[in-house]
Amino acid sequence: MLAIEPDHHWYDGDESISSCIGEPVWIPGPAGMLEGITACPPEGRPMHGIGIVCHPHPLYGGTLHNKVVDYLSRTLNDLGVGTLRFNFRGVEQSEGEYAEGVGEADDLRAVLNWAQKQRPGHPLWLAGFSFGAYVALRVAHEFPLAHLVTVAPPVNFFDFSTLEAPGCPWTLVQGEADEIVSAANLYG
């Protein structure tokens, strides 16, 4: 998805390679390097966008390898959107420490800016699950997104009342039998 050489995982500004390569990447973030991995649309399907996918809460085991995050990535790939899943600061190999959602929003801004530089002119999608949905919604209004997807935003744990609505189409996915975030809390 992003302009990287298969054997060179640190971005060095070389944008001459433009094919979609599902590879680990390292992105400069405000608290240090952020670990990520790209994924591509199925072979033969054109890529018509870039999707950034955010993971659940770092203090409760959330990583870019979460099964819902992986499923979101694969779903976007099936829609022809190349994806980048990344770990927020302090998760696995990403540098830094948990920062109450504020620092993680800064991480997401850095990743979105980086992705836009890698693929200028490509429509930008943003997706997040649980805590990742909260962080995505915090930042969504700041970028020219083609689409926002939030899955089980944790409305019972974070204050969503002060967040601006995104200026793009927004898909909200919420399970009716979710044990952590009830549909009643979300829609009430």
Side-chain angles (χ1 to χ4, degrees), residues 1-23:
M1 174 185 87
L2 301 175
I4 58 173
E5 297 174 31
D7 60 345
H8 182 88
H9 304 304
W10 292 88
Y11 175 65
D12 61 5
D14 179 9
E15 297 181 21
S16 63
I17 311 259
S18 60
S19 62
C20 184
I21 303 170
E23 289 286 335

